[in-house]
Amino acid sequence: MTRLRVGTDEATVLAEQVEALLAALAARPGFRDGELGRSTDDPTLWALVTRWDGVGTYRRALSAAEVKIAGAPVWVFALDEPGTYLGAAEGI
């Protein structure tokens, strides 16, 4: 999960950029799905959630050139906090 802080005037552009990023991620092995959501309490706060077969596939996907290129305009809005979480099925 990546939380993003985006000005209300940039919301449409962010949605387009995330669409391109999700397309690049979808081409990588281990990608399950992803979605973008907006906070109902704070219209400038967004969350990009992706699901993977495991942390390794996620990290390898981020190193792909096409993902770096598609992700750069999105990650400029990312909040500096942990972005990888383990689910209950993974033994928490």
Side-chain angles (χ1 to χ4, degrees):
M1 179 172 73
T2 303
R3 292 188 328 139
L4 310 156
R5 178 77 61 192
V6 181
T8 54
D9 57 328
E10 299 171 296
T12 302
V13 172
L14 173 70
E16 293 169 0
Q17 293 168 334
V18 167
E19 186 176 321
L21 174 57
L22 286 173
L25 291 171
R28 306 306 306 165
F31 180 81
R32 292 184 183 175
D33 66 9
E35 61 187 303
L36 179 66
R38 189 178 201 170
S39 171
T40 57
D41 297 325
D42 181 348
T44 67
L45 187 59
W46 295 72
L48 174 60
V49 178
T50 58
R51 293 168 192 84
W52 297 84
D53 288 341
V55 173
T57 57
Y58 167 72
R59 291 185 175 153
R60 282 188 292 279
L62 293 182
S63 68
E66 62 274 11
V67 172
K68 288 179 181 181
I69 292 168
V74 174
W75 293 319
V76 72
F77 298 108
L79 299 178
D80 187 16
E81 59 187 19
T84 304
Y85 296 83
L86 296 176
E90 296 173 281
I92 293 178

